[in-house]
Amino acid sequence: MHGKAFKKIEKGNYAEAASLLERICGEDPEGKNEYSYFCIGDCYYRLKKYEKAQKLLKKSFDIYKMNILEVKNQRDLRTFSELKNTYIEVLRINGQHEVAKMIKSKYKVRS
């Protein structure tokens, strides 16, 4: 189902992609689908549904930041960096400038 959702994202069908990915995450009993949460949050960001985006990006960000010290590959570091930047942008849009500033300074990703 991930593949189907990512094809929807490629075509700009963000609402449909978010719906598919939410189903996938709902089937994950441990809630550790951080990349899917990031993609859903990004879909909502693109749909200008910033409060929903913030909630899902935070969930993804919290999972990634717990594991970031263990991340060794460049792909995961790039994903975390992209997630962080999108999350910061959503926080700013939602008027949470201080939180955005703290995250920007605290979580610097070095590749």
Side-chain angles (χ1 to χ4, degrees):
M1 204 176 333
H2 274 100
K4 195 174 189 181
F6 295 132
K7 285 183 189 221
K8 301 252 184 225
I9 290 170
E10 287 174 8
K11 293 180 179 181
N13 296 331
Y14 301 116
E16 292 177 36
S19 178
L20 284 171
L21 290 167
E22 284 175 331
R23 259 191 280 153
I24 291 168
C25 290
E27 295 169 2
D28 177 19
E30 295 184 29
K32 294 186 179 181
N33 230 330
E34 64 270 15
Y35 187 71
S36 293
Y37 291 121
F38 168 46
C39 291
I40 299 165
D42 190 57
C43 286
Y44 284 127
Y45 169 74
R46 292 169 188 272
L47 292 167
K48 298 181 175 21
K49 295 183 178 185
Y50 300 121
E51 287 185 28
K52 278 186 165 185
Q54 182 177 331
K55 180 182 173 186
L56 289 151
L57 292 168
K58 180 182 183 338
K59 187 168 191 158
S60 178
F61 187 81
D62 287 345
I63 296 168
Y64 266 108
K65 76 179 181 184
M66 284 189 301
N67 299 320
I68 197 64
L69 296 176
E70 299 170 16
V71 171
K72 303 286 189 250
N73 67 59
Q74 292 298 310
R75 190 185 84 212
D76 285 345
L77 289 173
R78 280 192 305 274
T79 299
F80 181 75
S81 181
E82 187 178 335
L83 163 62
K84 180 187 80 159
N85 293 336
T86 305
Y87 185 40
I88 288 169
E89 180 63 22
V90 168
L91 286 167
R92 287 180 178 151
I93 289 168
N94 288 336
Q96 297 181 17
H97 302 283
E98 291 302 314
V99 176
K101 191 184 302 182
M102 183 276 301
I103 288 172
K104 184 175 182 176
S105 67
K106 186 174 180 179
Y107 296 99
K108 297 187 190 272
V109 178
R110 291 177 181 83
S111 45

